[in-house]
Amino acid sequence: MMNIYTWGNGKEISPFDIESIILSQLINDIDDIKIIPNSNYFISNSQKLPCLITNDEQITGLINIWNYLSPNDNNDSTERLLFDSLLHSIIKNFNIITTYNYFVNTTNYESFTRPAFKNYLPWPFQYLPPLQIRENGIENCMNLGIIDGENDGNSTLDDEEKHLVETPVINDLQKNQIDNNLQLINKKKSIIANLNCIKLLKSTIDNFNQLKEKLSTSNSEFLSLIINSYLQNNIIDELSDNFIKITLERDYPEYLNTKSLPKSYNPSHLTFSNAFKSFISSFI
């Protein structure tokens, strides 16, 4: 028996842990693997989830767990290489988008994500993980130019913000005016960051749409379902700033369906390894 530990409340996987949601759909009917959505990040040496625990090692992240469980047939065909490249690109980009949406976007973080951790971890452990994920997310988003990127208009806003913060306050009226202007600047920054996140989302979807015809039908459908899993869990109603849903409604309505990944199977005459590999092999 192998266990995969994920973010969750003990019964359900957290909506922001989409890697684990995808894994749970892939291995739904396999008895030899158990999904444990109890947010036990302490068990992971890297303190990252999802984390697959075997008898002698730990594997974290969807791609690494995928590579561990799926067959290594050394298939270096053009389509296999394209499939692998698209899969890695889709997961990498959508992980950034998801982290921005749930943790870096201040509105969603303050109204949903941070309060939700009280359902995932007991006091006082509920406070540190969202802060750590947010800090890492901010760093990654800065590296990609989603926030504080070059030529995104934020430098002017930063100058305005600095000027307001350094302005001496004479009375309450002036303080209220400064506070209102600072709030307006933060809203403008948020809009710019949302737009940069949307650019990454669009480029990821458009790149797949341009290349999917070079894939077999099963491979194309599989990647479409991976994308759909990420999108569906990034537009939940609980998110106050649902800018991704607005984008899909306008530009990609075909992804507003509720299709999920196909369920795996485990025929009784196959061992776990062969059953899982047979399932995965049907897509690659």
Side-chain angles (χ1 to χ4, degrees):
M1 173 68 71
M2 291 184 285
N3 295 328
I4 297 179
Y5 293 85
T6 78
W7 292 108
N9 59 9
K11 296 180 180 180
E12 296 178 338
I13 300 173
S14 306
F16 62 80
D17 190 3
I18 305 177
E19 288 188 298
S20 296
I21 292 173
I22 292 172
L23 282 170
S24 71
Q25 293 169 332
L26 286 173
I27 63 175
N28 184 67
D29 294 330
I30 298 178
D31 295 332
D32 301 75
I33 299 182
K34 183 178 181 181
I35 298 287
I36 304 178
N38 64 355
S39 299
N40 186 7
Y41 72 100
F42 302 103
I43 202 170
S44 170
N45 293 334
S46 63
Q47 295 193 338
K48 293 182 179 180
L49 301 176
C51 179
L52 171 68
I53 305 292
T54 69
N55 291 332
D56 54 0
E57 60 183 318
Q58 295 186 5
I59 302 97
T60 58
L62 173 57
I63 287 292
N64 293 330
I65 294 174
W66 171 285
N67 289 336
Y68 179 82
L69 296 174
S70 62
N72 182 14
D73 55 8
N74 296 318
N75 183 351
D76 59 354
S77 66
T78 301
E79 179 172 352
R80 175 58 185 266
L81 294 174
L82 177 60
F83 176 86
D84 287 345
S85 176
L86 283 172
L87 178 64
H88 281 70
S89 175
I90 288 168
I91 291 175
K92 176 185 176 182
N93 290 348
F94 271 107
N95 281 345
I96 292 290
I97 291 167
T98 301
T99 301
Y100 171 81
N101 192 27
Y102 279 94
F103 291 90
V104 180
N105 181 296
T106 301
T107 299
N108 290 338
Y109 177 75
E110 294 293 345
S111 65
F112 173 75
T113 309
R114 185 169 61 86
F117 269 81
K118 71 178 184 295
N119 300 318
Y120 304 148
L121 290 166
W123 185 91
F125 303 108
Q126 67 195 60
Y127 299 109
L128 184 58
L131 287 174
Q132 290 178 327
I133 298 174
R134 178 175 167 84
E135 289 176 358
N136 291 334
I138 288 174
E139 182 178 354
N140 290 332
C141 287
M142 288 182 66
N143 291 336
L144 288 175
I146 294 177
I147 58 175
D148 293 331
E150 295 180 359
N151 302 319
D152 64 359
N154 276 3
S155 58
T156 301
L157 293 176
D158 287 339
D159 291 340
E160 293 180 11
E161 184 178 35
K162 181 179 179 181
H163 174 72
L164 288 171
V165 170
E166 294 177 349
T167 299
V169 176
I170 300 175
N171 52 50
D172 290 341
L173 177 61
Q174 183 193 25
K175 182 180 183 303
N176 289 334
Q177 291 176 336
I178 291 175
D179 289 342
N180 290 336
N181 287 334
L182 287 173
Q183 290 180 4
L184 181 60
I185 288 174
N186 287 330
K187 288 181 180 179
K188 289 180 179 179
K189 284 185 174 182
S190 178
I191 291 172
I192 293 171
N194 284 358
L195 290 173
N196 289 333
C197 184
I198 289 171
K199 287 180 183 178
L200 179 60
L201 183 148
K202 285 186 172 183
S203 66
T204 304
I205 295 177
D206 292 344
N207 184 53
F208 167 68
N209 286 337
Q210 291 173 3
L211 296 173
K212 65 181 180 181
E213 293 184 358
K214 298 181 180 181
L215 299 171
S216 65
T217 300
S218 60
N219 283 346
S220 177
E221 289 179 350
F222 183 76
L223 291 179
S224 292
L225 291 169
I226 292 286
I227 292 174
N228 195 72
S229 292
Y230 273 102
L231 292 176
Q232 291 300 316
N233 288 283
N234 269 291
I235 60 172
I236 63 173
D237 293 336
E238 290 82 356
L239 295 175
S240 300
D241 188 2
N242 219 328
F243 67 97
I244 292 180
K245 184 175 183 179
I246 294 172
T247 300
L248 296 183
E249 290 173 340
R250 183 183 64 241
D251 299 328
Y252 304 99
E254 67 273 19
Y255 282 106
L256 287 173
N257 58 57
T258 56
K259 292 175 66 178
S260 61
L261 287 164
K263 293 182 178 180
S264 60
Y265 62 93
N266 188 12
S268 58
H269 65 281
L270 294 178
T271 64
F272 153 73
S273 179
N274 288 334
F276 189 86
K277 291 180 179 181
S278 295
F279 166 67
I280 297 298
S281 296
S282 67
F283 290 99
I284 57 179

